[in-house]
Amino acid sequence: MRVALAEDGALFREGLLMLLQATGHEIVGATADGDSLLDLLATEPCDVAILDIRMPPEPDGGLITAERLRAKYPDMGLLFLSHYAESHYLMRILNIGTDAIGYRLKEKVGSVEVLSDTLDRIRDGEIVIEPSLAKRLVERPRGEKKGLVASLSERETDVLKLMAEGRSNNGIAGQLFVTPKAVEKHIANIFGKLGLHADTSENHRRVLAVLAFLRSQRDDD
């Protein structure tokens, strides 16, 4: 795929360019700030733009740049990178979109395999969230559940929390001491109650279910 990069840290930028080259993707350009990336993409189309969250022109320039990119190029994938897993960053990212978007820690994308998998999933329209952040947010003590999430049973909420950790159906079954068949039924109920029907992949619906849970409690941050 065609990939563009905006990262103000020269050392990390060069390292990421080497990884991207190793994955075989075409690099359309690399800049040190969001404004330069916007200028670049005005003439060089790309499939996925990789943005450092904290870069010029603002402290959170990556998010501001991404808002402008999503408005101008709605089909372009966006991958946010940061040294920090912050819930307020995730919530702002969710406001930008829930399709073809990702938020990963810089230290976790330091291999060809992880970076390739992340980019492929974003290109395919999925959401990719740093697993440790999703797990921490779901497990944090919160107030009352809101919206559709409030309709989930206690056991369905338990299943959803384990989904946020990235556990498979068998892994969830082992944690809850139930059969994989029972887990499948709970997940189907979760999808149904949250309105996540079978027009998207199961993996995508699993992520969307977790995001619905996070969104339902965002006002408690």
Side-chain angles (χ1 to χ4, degrees):
M1 70 188 79
R2 290 171 59 85
V3 180
L5 169 63
E7 161 65 52
D8 64 333
L11 186 61
F12 183 79
R13 183 173 65 246
E14 292 304 314
L16 195 56
L17 287 173
M18 292 177 62
L19 276 176
L20 288 169
Q21 290 168 348
T23 64
H25 297 311
E26 180 181 353
I27 302 167
V28 302
T31 70
D33 63 84
D35 289 342
S36 298
L37 180 67
L38 287 164
D39 291 341
L40 170 70
L41 294 180
T43 57
E44 294 285 347
C46 80
D47 299 305
V48 179
I50 303 174
L51 306 101
D52 181 12
I53 289 181
R54 297 183 62 83
M55 68 176 181
E58 304 287 344
D60 54 357
L63 293 168
I64 294 171
T65 301
E67 290 169 351
R68 297 168 66 184
L69 288 175
R70 184 51 61 100
K72 193 171 184 179
Y73 312 108
D75 295 329
M76 182 185 297
L78 300 171
L79 171 58
F80 298 91
L81 298 178
S82 176
H83 286 299
Y84 311 101
E86 300 286 353
S87 61
H88 63 93
Y89 286 155
L90 176 58
M91 295 312 171
R92 284 192 61 183
I93 289 169
L94 295 183
N95 285 331
I96 294 171
T98 56
D99 294 308
I101 204 162
Y103 175 25
R104 296 300 308 265
L105 290 176
K106 290 182 177 181
E107 64 189 65
K108 299 298 186 181
V109 293
S111 71
V112 170
E113 293 76 14
V114 173
L115 183 59
S116 291
D117 177 70
T118 299
L119 290 173
D120 287 346
R121 290 170 61 190
I122 291 173
R123 178 197 57 195
D124 293 341
E126 295 186 19
I127 307 167
V128 183
I129 295 176
E130 189 61 46
S132 62
L133 174 61
K135 177 182 177 182
R136 188 171 76 237
L137 287 172
V138 171
E139 290 184 342
R140 182 184 302 168
R142 301 293 184 127
E144 290 298 317
K145 294 183 293 183
K146 303 176 181 67
L148 294 174
V149 175
S151 66
L152 299 182
S153 68
E154 183 177 351
R155 178 44 60 94
E156 288 163 356
T157 300
D158 290 339
V159 170
L160 184 53
K161 289 179 179 179
L162 293 169
M163 287 169 60
E165 297 180 22
R167 295 181 185 272
S168 66
N169 286 9
N170 287 338
I172 294 173
Q175 288 290 311
L176 298 180
F177 303 102
V178 298
T179 65
K181 192 73 174 178
V183 172
E184 290 177 12
K185 182 177 180 180
H186 289 311
I187 291 176
N189 289 341
I190 291 169
F191 290 161
K193 290 180 180 180
L194 298 183
L196 304 174
H197 301 298
D199 54 346
T200 57
S201 70
E202 177 165 344
N203 183 64
H204 197 184
R205 284 191 292 167
R206 290 170 79 97
V207 175
L208 289 174
V210 172
L211 294 183
F213 186 93
L214 299 179
R215 274 190 171 133
S216 75
Q217 303 177 68
R218 64 197 305 176
D219 295 334
D220 296 321
D221 279 331

